[in-house]
Amino acid sequence: MPATLFEKLWRQHRIADLGDGVALIAIDRVMLHERTGGVALDSLSKSGRTVLAPGQAFAVMDHIVDTLPGRSDATKMPTGMAFITGTRAAAHAAGIGLFDLDDPRQGICHVISPEQGIVLPGVTLVCPDSHTGTQGAFGALAWGIGSSEAEHALATGTLRVRKPRTMRITVRGRLAAAVGAKDLALHIIAQVGSAGAQGHAVEFAGDGVAALDIEQRQTLCNMATEMSAFCAIIAPDDVSISALEGTPLAPTGAQWDQAVAAWRTLASDRDAAFDRDIAIDADEVAPMISWGTSPQQSIPVTGTVPRGEAETEANHRRALAYMGLEAGEALAGLRIDAAFIGSCTNSRLSDLRRAAAVVQGRRVAEGIRAICVPGSGAVKRAAEAEGIADTLIAAGFEWREPGCSMCFFAGGESFGLRERVVSTTNRNFESRQGPETRTHIASPELVAASAIAGRIVDPREA
Amino acid sequence: MEAFSRVTAVALPLLFDNIDTDIIIPSREMKSVGKTGLADGLFAGWRYTAVGNREPAPDFLMNQPPFDRARVLIAGVNVGCGSSREHAVWALHEYGFRAVIAPSFNPIFRGNCIRNGVVPVQLEADSVRLLGEAARADPLGQQVTVDLDAMTASSGAGSFGFALEEDSRAMLRNGWDAIDLTLQHRDRIAAWREADRAERPWIYLEPRA
């Protein structure tokens, strides 16, 4: 019987059937970060248990560490140092690999995983971080879990998982030159809704996906979280396999050849049936931006804030009031206070390259705070070598150390009260980037162009 | 984890869709590395008048007795979306919540509920609204009972059956630890890993620390 890629990986990793749709699934890779991973390691050791396979587990410092130059264990976030030192001590005690603050490989977990060859096609990979599905761009079964489940995966090498349904999102045709994976993602989320993929393993397919480079694919899979997908996956191909070749933890020599041969078989069969199947026409995707407090509240940048419908009226009104907007208002032209480029969604080299191309030779508008946070040490060094950093700094951007930074407000650094921010991050939730901040999520190009203009602009007109 | 069979309590209806985990516990309220000390930060953005203070916002329902004693939360679709932070459930539990009723749950949040003694009760949107509106109009008279034996959520507004996979139901009812349950399969896990290592040797990295 024809099977989906998800089904093949599920069957391969199923150790036991626990009944009622739940299975015991083998976990090949566990990643942890200092925000939610330290507590899992702590709890594990307090219960007298150990990590089953320390070689398959990794800890990263990204969520709480400062991204200001000259940073140390001390953080702007009150009590942040305890998370950092606690995770460091727990990782050492557990014998798992750690990408510490002073490590040149340090960065956002989902950015450094492929750089290091932690994620590989066909692996099951979990992390107590909701955006773990990002790594499905490499043909891995990667999903976000809670801290207790992380503890479970560390202790047993498995998870008890309720089998999700399957959903295929086929992108027909190629995206126009001026739009990218972030626009595509927001376009899809606006259509299917924030809960639109709930309970589903999403496979992105079609020529529009095959044409995306590996970094754009990660952006797309990253945003599947914002439609509540269990995970997102793209079948491995030359693009993803060659991106991993030569990375430190990828197999080498004959083992590489053996692995590649196995990875080549990882695709949904031609006649495989999905529980849901939707198609998107790439030529309908325009530069997108969110207007509200949920990623589904996104529109083309040329559009106007929609009116609510009866069943969502209360949510709609709340979002409008929070954002200081009115139905019918155009987003283009709206004055902003700040611009942020970074996060596991859009902090890779090509993201920064596209932003730099927009700001080249220009200056950030007077009074606008503009920040760029590269996703990893490797991205930062490459951007500096390529002149991207110089371009951004000359334009007036702050150039930071790698980390999650102001993707979320943890009590330390923030954008100010009710400030309007255009951001390449993944969430526009209430107070996500600071007290009552009004976040509009969009692509690096749109954020860069808006920083220059001091207001929301269509990057095609910048 | 404590065993759960049934709770009858005042319900707090927050009938908004997409109540995310940043709303349930803002990142700034996750101050310690552990799982406790979080109840004060529960719904902090809605519950207090400004960031950092502890002055109750008068219009937030949970600040209005008897809703302050609620142990059942009634929410809109996609409750618990956003961040995977288990702190959202730890905060709910520490405050006293033992069940969340909603038309749909974010999967990570749902899993976190099950592992921490909070029953995720998924009902049709109309049933959720009925229970929620009744609880709002008469919180003491329309207390909600969530019963894991009968698999119902009920109040004077009606009684509604819900489903839960047996694995999760057993864990909640008995207060079982999932790791203990899984370690009963220790031999099968070891055998699977050995067979897999022959097929996919590149998965099995040596510790580097």
Side-chain angles (χ1 to χ4, degrees):
Chain A
M1 199 176 131
T4 64
L5 172 54
F6 171 80
E7 180 69 33
K8 291 178 188 183
L9 294 177
W10 177 267
R11 278 188 214 153
Q12 185 186 16
H13 289 85
R14 185 177 54 201
I15 296 177
D17 189 349
L18 303 175
D20 225 1
V22 178
L24 190 64
I25 297 292
I27 302 301
D28 298 326
R29 300 279 182 266
V30 183
M31 293 190 81
L32 304 169
H33 59 69
E34 81 279 27
R35 173 52 122 181
T36 58
V39 62
L41 284 170
D42 248 19
S43 177
L44 185 75
S45 105
K46 276 184 189 137
S47 61
R49 297 180 176 125
T50 55
V51 178
L52 177 78
Q56 293 170 249
F58 304 85
V60 175
M61 303 286 188
D62 58 4
H63 271 60
I64 287 176
V65 293
D66 278 350
T67 53
L68 294 162
R71 65 182 173 183
S72 68
D73 286 355
T75 60
K76 294 261 184 194
M77 177 209 160
T79 76
M81 192 196 280
F83 288 85
I84 293 170
T85 55
T87 299
R88 179 181 297 139
H92 286 321
I96 71 174
L98 172 66
F99 300 92
D100 209 341
L101 204 51
D102 56 0
D103 190 318
R105 303 168 300 174
Q106 179 268 344
I108 303 173
C109 50
H110 310 309
V111 177
I112 71 173
S113 174
E115 289 174 356
Q116 297 306 317
I118 294 171
V119 66
L120 296 170
V123 301
T124 48
L125 182 152
V126 296
C127 175
D129 185 276
S130 59
H131 290 103
T132 306
T134 309
Q135 303 190 39
F138 294 87
L141 204 55
W143 69 98
I145 55 175
S147 297
S148 296
E149 287 198 292
E151 201 179 324
H152 188 288
L154 290 166
T156 69
T158 68
L159 281 177
R160 310 169 83 88
V161 192
R162 187 165 68 139
K163 190 180 182 183
R165 292 184 292 279
T166 55
M167 176 170 176
R168 177 168 55 190
I169 300 178
T170 303
V171 181
R172 292 191 293 226
R174 290 187 172 218
L175 294 171
V179 297
K182 183 64 161 290
D183 302 306
L184 173 61
L186 291 173
H187 177 91
I188 296 171
I189 297 164
Q191 277 194 21
V192 304
S194 287
Q198 199 165 65
H200 288 78
V202 170
E203 178 172 347
F204 288 110
D207 47 346
V209 172
L212 296 176
D213 67 35
I214 191 63
E215 299 194 347
Q216 296 253 0
R217 293 182 190 186
Q218 290 170 76
T219 300
L220 181 61
C221 290
N222 175 278
M223 291 298 290
T225 302
E226 307 312 324
M227 42 182 157
S228 292
F230 170 80
C231 68
I233 193 165
I234 296 172
D237 61 6
D238 289 340
V239 173
S240 44
I241 292 173
S242 67
L244 294 166
E245 189 169 10
T247 54
L249 297 172
T252 53
Q255 224 175 69
W256 170 261
D257 298 335
Q258 186 193 347
V260 170
W263 297 340
R264 295 277 181 211
T265 68
L266 297 178
S268 290
D269 293 330
R270 222 152 59 100
D271 300 322
F274 290 79
D275 295 306
R276 286 178 67 197
D277 221 341
I278 67 170
I280 300 288
D281 285 317
D283 59 8
E284 287 174 11
V285 180
M288 296 287 289
I289 185 165
S290 69
W291 63 265
T293 54
S294 163
Q296 73 183 2
Q297 292 167 326
S298 292
I299 55 173
V301 67
T302 50
T304 54
V305 178
R307 288 170 206 289
E309 290 160 26
E311 68 270 28
T312 57
E313 187 54 36
N315 290 299
H316 202 89
R317 268 204 314 272
R318 187 177 184 96
L320 285 176
Y322 181 90
M323 294 299 291
L325 295 171
E326 285 178 25
E329 195 172 342
L331 285 187
L334 204 60
R335 289 199 58 79
I336 60 167
D337 300 297
F340 180 86
I341 297 174
S343 86
C344 57
T345 313
N346 282 124
S347 65
R348 298 176 184 82
L349 188 60
S350 62
D351 296 316
L352 309 193
R353 198 179 277 149
R354 289 198 305 280
V358 172
V359 307
Q360 180 74 49
R362 301 156 80 190
R363 288 283 305 168
V364 168
E366 190 69 28
I368 304 295
R369 186 171 184 208
I371 299 172
C372 180
V373 187
S376 71
V379 170
K380 180 167 188 260
R381 288 187 297 276
E384 287 169 349
E386 206 178 296
I388 291 171
D390 287 341
T391 300
L392 290 168
I393 293 165
F397 273 81
E398 294 176 37
W399 180 246
R400 297 285 190 101
E401 297 294 330
C404 301
S405 194
M406 287 158 78
C407 175
F408 54 88
F409 169 50
E413 272 196 288
S414 88
F415 296 103
L417 185 71
R418 287 189 205 128
E419 293 218 327
R420 193 173 296 284
V421 187
V422 284
S423 179
T424 67
T425 53
N426 38 56
R427 290 187 175 138
N428 50 347
F429 296 166
E430 290 183 23
S431 299
R432 174 79 178 178
Q433 293 192 292
E436 296 178 45
T437 45
R438 294 162 167 170
T439 296
H440 297 269
I441 51 178
S443 69
E445 295 93 317
L446 194 152
V447 171
S450 300
I452 300 297
R455 55 196 168 78
I456 292 172
V457 291
D458 186 336
R460 292 170 299 193
E461 289 163 14
Chain B
M1 190 171 93
E2 67 185 291
F4 182 108
S5 61
R6 179 187 155 103
V7 66
T8 298
V10 170
L12 173 70
L14 298 177
L15 295 175
F16 295 105
D17 294 344
N18 301 311
I19 295 181
D20 58 70
T21 53
D22 278 72
I23 288 173
I24 299 173
I25 182 100
S27 192
R28 62 179 184 273
E29 298 289 344
M30 294 155 55
K31 292 171 188 156
S32 76
V33 180
K35 305 177 180 182
T36 55
L38 296 161
D40 254 13
L42 180 66
F43 292 119
W46 289 355
R47 185 171 163 193
Y48 306 118
T49 55
V51 168
N53 83 10
R54 285 292 184 257
E55 193 183 309
D59 56 350
F60 184 52
L61 203 59
M62 199 172 83
N63 290 331
Q64 300 166 15
F67 294 107
D68 57 340
R69 291 192 273 124
R71 300 183 76 195
V72 175
L73 173 66
I74 305 180
V77 300
N78 202 25
V79 64
C81 63
S83 162
S84 68
R85 62 186 69 159
E86 198 157 327
H87 306 69
V89 177
W90 294 331
L92 283 166
H93 189 273
E94 186 177 306
Y95 186 90
F97 286 98
R98 293 296 176 267
V100 178
I101 299 175
S104 62
F105 287 74
N106 172 275
I108 303 176
F109 178 75
R110 183 180 184 279
N112 288 340
C113 283
I114 290 161
R115 275 161 183 75
N116 291 282
V118 175
V119 182
V121 179
Q122 186 166 337
L123 300 178
E124 294 293 322
D126 289 344
S127 313
V128 173
R129 200 174 316 115
L130 272 174
L131 289 173
E133 283 170 0
R136 178 160 190 139
D138 181 11
L140 290 173
Q142 299 290 345
Q143 295 193 33
V144 173
T145 298
V146 172
D147 188 329
L148 262 189
D149 295 318
M151 294 301 287
T152 55
S154 54
S155 78
S159 180
F160 308 98
F162 67 97
L164 209 55
E165 60 283 3
E166 189 47 43
D167 188 56
S168 301
R169 184 173 173 227
M171 273 194 271
L172 284 163
R173 281 174 77 189
N174 301 300
W176 283 336
D177 180 294
I179 298 178
D180 285 340
L181 289 183
T182 296
L183 288 176
Q184 294 170 5
H185 298 280
R186 192 182 270 124
D187 294 345
R188 275 179 92 163
I189 294 170
W192 187 94
R193 287 174 65 86
E194 203 183 303
D196 186 58
R197 187 191 284 263
E199 253 182 65
R200 301 187 305 152
W202 57 88
I203 298 299
Y204 298 85
L205 302 168
E206 291 307 312
R208 293 149 310 280

